[in-house]
Amino acid sequence: YPTNCGIHLAESNFQTRSREHPQNTCCERGKRQMKHLLNQLKQYKKESILAPLFKMLEALFDLFVPIVVADIINVGIGNQDNRYILQRCGVLVLLAVIGISCSFTAQFFAARASVGCATRLRHTLFSHIQTLGYSEIDTMGTSTLITRMTSDINQVQNGLNMFLRLFLRSPFIVFGAMVMAFTIDVKIALIFLIAIPVLAVIIFGIMKITSPLYKTVQERLDKILGITRENLTGVRVVRAFGKEHSETERFETANGLLNSMQLHVGRLSGLMNPLTYVVVNLATIAILNMGASRINHGMLLSGDVVALVNYMSQILIELVKLANTVVLLSKALASLNRIEGVLETASSMKFTEGNGSLKNRNNITKSRNRIPENQNTAFHMEEAVEFQQVSLTYAGAGEESLTDISFCAQKGETIGVIGGTGSGKSSLVNLIPRFYDATSGQVRIMGKPIAEWGREELRTSVGVVMQRAQLFAGTIRSNMLWGNPDATDEQIWKALEIAQAAEVVRGKPLGLDEPVEQGGRNFSGGQKQRLTIARALVKQPEILILDDSASALDFATDAALRRALGTLAGKITVFIVSQRASSLKHADQILVLEDGQIADKGRHEELLERCDVYREIYESQFKKGEVH
């Protein structure tokens, strides 16, 4: 089934919504993009108001500076009044101190709002990802989700910070300088009226062109992250097959595409500064030309011309800042669109309301602990799991992975699942805890359709040990408590004994409190598999699924594990997925899969007689006629 397929879900979702709802205009799309960001900003109303307010105050004091300088030239220098010059210089220092104080205050509030908002947005995104089904996660791909959780949210944070600091200050300075110019000389101020619209066209025109290109840059960054992640997780395989050179070439190709796109966007964005400088410098030349003429006619003082040039310089500086802010905002909006694409992706899997609360989960755990061990829990029904003509097609797949699967597992039975690679073994057992929904047919758990089970209710009743053993950073004890936070040490040790992991834990200096590194790096493959089986047993599930989870165990340990699991007969229903026929020969029922269909089902002896597929698997592992 598809994983890390690189489908850009945000774009495809928008296209689908646009076809279904023609009224979805660009404006409405923009509102949807900002919805979650604005919801997070509501928690920082005070900071979001104070940051631009203090920036506006700083800008206001900056606008007074050219007037003071004009007074120094016109009055102080013109009249050779040193005292007046010193007084006005003191005013300049005071304006600078007040301005920098306002700037620091604005930066504090802007940083607090942007970092806090990004933190809450990241929490919201992470929580939403936890609600998505396997189908949505498979479709989007792990590398894309990691990029959106890290790089994209950082882009949004930087864009929001610059927006609060500069996006209001810069226009205020631009229009404030134009107003101040009109107070000095109306005729010369008309130059400002011409220069400002031209500058706006340049800035926002480039922004419109570069905004979609930044989205492409982020998508290519996703691919880079996917290749890097794949190589890091599969580094042993790469080296074992001597594929370092080809993998390096593959990375360089993807990195070259990213580099070329970044250069292309950089060249377009780089046009902004020279174009704005050209316009502002031409305007400055015009001001000096007209100002010199009006000074000769006695209509203007030299200090006033200096003030007008200073205002034009302020406009230039602020427009350069605004241009850089626009670039950052373009990146932030592209990233925000990708984040919104994930947040607007609803899980295709709907669970019954009211059964998934933590309170209900605790009640289930407590009620289980009160029931004697010789009694079945949950529902007093004979059937534990029933498949009724079940078929499964993964999202984006052209063919069915499972076709017309029907069988019934009674409570307390051990069910074996065997078949060749790609026959659909994992797909079958993944339908029991409802990691995926059947495309057609029905799965029933304890006599009740699986769609009627609450999320926590179902996941508490079904324990799963995945193909790839996964431990989490912490201690052995913290890993064991995942399924049942209220489990006692006695229950943990009992589960470890059954999983053949007790000796592993006793051999550690700290026992249950032995540290576990991320991914269980400080344990071998067999140790990790035994610990993950123990973790599932601590959960005390009604149904236990072992999805090829003993592949790293030697035959002796595997046999001991099966004998220990046999002591649980009548208490839980066990599904064992394995490539080893010897691991399944004592099962109450064995399902033989071939190309997503059940080739046959029955006990070991029956299948050896009548099922060619099972006999071929068995004889490939043991000599023909050998008894085991």
Side-chain angles (χ1 to χ4, degrees):
Y1 53 87
T3 57
N4 296 335
C5 57
I7 295 176
H8 307 303
L9 196 63
E11 290 77 10
S12 62
N13 280 352
F14 173 68
Q15 291 168 2
T16 302
R17 288 192 299 268
S18 298
R19 287 194 296 269
E20 294 174 353
H21 306 285
Q23 70 273 21
N24 284 343
T25 62
C26 292
C27 182
E28 291 170 343
R29 184 185 182 187
K31 290 179 181 178
R32 285 198 304 271
Q33 289 178 353
M34 300 297 294
K35 179 178 66 175
H36 289 92
L37 183 63
L38 293 176
N39 286 341
Q40 306 306 332
L41 267 179
K42 288 179 181 178
Q43 307 298 321
Y44 298 93
K45 287 182 179 178
K46 180 181 72 174
E47 290 84 354
S48 300
I49 293 172
L50 290 177
L53 178 62
F54 275 96
K55 272 294 178 182
M56 300 273 271
L57 287 174
E58 179 198 359
L60 184 62
F61 291 117
D62 285 348
L63 289 174
F64 289 145
V65 171
I67 296 294
V68 176
V69 172
D71 285 345
I72 291 174
I73 296 171
N74 293 335
V75 179
I77 296 176
N79 297 329
Q80 298 294 313
D81 190 344
N82 292 329
R83 183 179 177 183
Y84 186 85
I85 293 173
L86 291 175
Q87 287 177 347
R88 291 300 176 179
C89 287
V91 172
L92 288 176
V93 172
L94 180 62
L95 290 175
V97 171
I98 296 174
I100 199 170
S101 300
C102 291
S103 178
F104 286 157
T105 306
Q107 177 58 49
F108 171 78
F109 287 120
R112 185 168 180 175
S114 58
V115 173
C117 182
T119 301
R120 294 177 65 89
L121 187 61
R122 188 176 286 109
H123 286 168
T124 301
L125 182 59
F126 185 82
S127 298
H128 181 74
I129 290 172
Q130 297 301 316
T131 67
L132 297 177
Y134 276 27
S135 295
E136 289 76 33
I137 293 175
D138 291 342
T139 301
M140 285 184 281
T142 307
S143 58
T144 297
L145 293 176
I146 292 174
T147 304
R148 299 185 193 199
M149 283 279 297
T150 53
S151 175
D152 284 335
I153 289 185
N154 286 339
Q155 293 282 12
V156 172
Q157 176 182 317
N158 293 335
L160 180 59
N161 191 350
M162 294 299 289
F163 177 84
L164 294 176
R165 290 172 52 202
L166 297 177
F167 207 72
L168 293 180
R169 170 198 155 89
S170 294
F172 181 81
I173 286 282
V174 170
F175 291 103
M178 184 179 66
V179 171
M180 296 300 289
F182 272 99
T183 62
I184 296 173
D185 189 280
V186 175
K187 189 174 181 180
I188 296 180
L190 294 175
I191 298 173
F192 289 77
L193 284 179
I194 299 171
I196 291 174
V198 173
L199 291 169
V201 169
I202 293 172
I203 291 171
F204 291 102
I206 292 177
M207 182 185 70
K208 185 176 181 180
I209 296 171
T210 56
S211 182
L213 295 178
Y214 282 118
K215 185 188 298 182
T216 305
V217 169
Q218 289 299 111
E219 290 168 359
R220 293 188 178 181
L221 182 62
D222 283 348
K223 190 171 183 179
I224 291 286
L225 182 60
I227 294 173
T228 305
R229 181 176 178 272
E230 186 178 17
N231 273 272
L232 289 175
T233 54
V235 62
R236 289 182 175 86
V237 178
V238 172
R239 291 179 178 176
F241 286 88
K243 302 293 288 184
E244 294 94 336
H245 181 67
S246 61
E247 288 301 311
T248 300
E249 286 183 346
R250 187 161 73 102
F251 177 83
E252 288 177 351
T253 300
N255 194 41
L257 291 173
L258 174 63
N259 183 49
S260 62
M261 179 55 68
Q262 286 180 321
L263 289 174
H264 178 57
V265 179
R267 291 188 189 100
L268 291 175
S269 299
L271 291 174
M272 194 175 294
N273 282 0
L275 290 177
T276 52
Y277 269 100
V278 167
V279 173
V280 171
N281 284 322
L282 289 175
T284 302
I285 292 171
I287 290 171
L288 292 174
N289 183 49
M290 292 183 64
S293 174
R294 296 179 73 77
I295 289 173
N296 288 335
H297 290 84
M299 302 173 65
L300 204 62
L301 297 175
S302 57
D304 297 332
V305 175
V306 172
L308 289 169
V309 171
N310 283 341
Y311 282 128
M312 184 56 71
S313 298
Q314 283 188 348
I315 290 175
L316 171 61
I317 293 169
E318 293 304 321
L319 283 174
V320 170
K321 291 181 182 178
L322 183 60
N324 294 328
T325 303
V326 166
V327 171
L328 281 176
L329 288 178
S330 299
K331 295 179 181 179
L333 288 174
S335 296
L336 183 60
N337 183 35
R338 288 156 48 81
I339 295 169
E340 292 288 342
V342 177
L343 291 173
E344 290 183 3
T345 301
S347 176
S348 58
M349 198 172 291
K350 304 298 180 184
F351 285 86
T352 303
E353 295 182 2
N355 291 331
S357 65
L358 183 61
K359 180 180 178 182
N360 187 65
R361 180 179 181 178
N362 291 336
N363 289 339
I364 292 172
T365 303
K366 291 177 182 177
S367 64
R368 179 191 292 130
N369 291 336
R370 288 197 300 268
I371 295 175
E373 290 188 354
N374 60 354
Q375 293 185 17
N376 291 327
T377 57
F379 299 90
H380 298 285
M381 303 288 294
E382 288 300 321
E383 295 91 4
V385 177
E386 183 180 5
F387 277 52
Q388 299 175 346
Q389 297 180 319
V390 171
S391 297
L392 172 66
T393 304
Y394 288 106
E399 298 180 356
E400 290 182 333
S401 297
L402 295 175
T403 303
D404 197 25
I405 303 293
S406 296
F407 71 91
C408 182
Q410 303 296 322
K411 297 187 79 173
E413 282 189 336
T414 297
I415 309 298
V417 183
I418 195 168
T421 302
S423 58
K425 303 184 296 297
S426 295
S427 297
L428 186 148
V429 294
N430 279 338
L431 293 173
I432 298 173
R434 206 184 172 195
F435 292 153
Y436 297 93
D437 272 333
T439 310
S440 62
Q442 188 178 72
V443 179
R444 299 177 71 86
I445 305 294
M446 306 297 180
K448 185 167 69 170
I450 197 168
E452 296 180 11
W453 284 72
R455 184 195 300 271
E456 294 296 334
E457 183 185 12
L458 177 62
R459 303 284 165 79
T460 303
S461 301
V462 180
V464 184
V465 183
M466 301 289 189
Q467 281 181 320
R468 181 181 178 186
Q470 180 67 53
L471 296 175
F472 294 88
T475 63
I476 294 176
R477 187 193 306 277
S478 67
N479 274 272
M480 294 299 108
L481 294 177
W482 264 57
N484 183 3
D486 300 321
T488 63
D489 282 3
E490 181 183 355
Q491 290 173 314
I492 293 174
W493 281 110
K494 182 178 179 181
L496 290 169
E497 292 284 356
I498 295 173
Q500 309 303 304
E503 291 303 319
V504 174
V505 179
R506 290 193 183 102
K508 300 295 181 181
L510 299 178
L512 290 174
D513 295 315
E514 182 71 17
V516 178
E517 295 181 11
Q518 183 180 2
R521 290 192 301 264
N522 53 332
F523 292 89
S524 68
Q527 290 174 340
K528 286 194 289 186
Q529 285 191 338
R530 284 179 278 174
L531 288 172
T532 51
I533 292 171
R535 180 173 60 191
L537 290 171
V538 170
K539 190 178 181 180
Q540 298 182 5
E542 282 82 29
I543 300 169
L544 176 64
I545 299 171
L546 304 179
D547 186 2
D548 204 13
S549 54
S551 58
L553 304 184
D554 57 67
F555 283 97
T557 307
D558 187 18
L561 173 63
R562 283 187 280 110
R563 285 195 299 270
L565 290 174
T567 63
L568 300 175
K571 300 172 186 176
I572 64 174
T573 304
V574 181
F575 282 79
I576 302 177
V577 178
S578 180
Q579 299 281 7
R580 297 175 180 174
S582 61
S583 299
L584 307 178
K585 62 183 297 183
H586 299 295
D588 298 299
Q589 184 179 181
I590 300 175
L591 307 178
V592 183
L593 296 183
E594 184 179 27
D595 295 331
Q597 297 179 319
I598 293 182
D600 204 344
K601 56 186 175 183
R603 297 184 67 86
H604 172 72
E605 296 79 7
E606 299 170 348
L607 293 173
L608 276 180
E609 292 180 5
R610 67 171 187 252
C611 182
D612 294 335
V613 177
Y614 185 77
R615 189 184 309 112
E616 183 181 347
I617 294 173
Y618 183 81
E619 291 178 352
S620 69
Q621 297 174 9
F622 306 104
K623 293 180 180 179
K624 191 172 182 179
E626 186 178 350
V627 178
H628 287 270

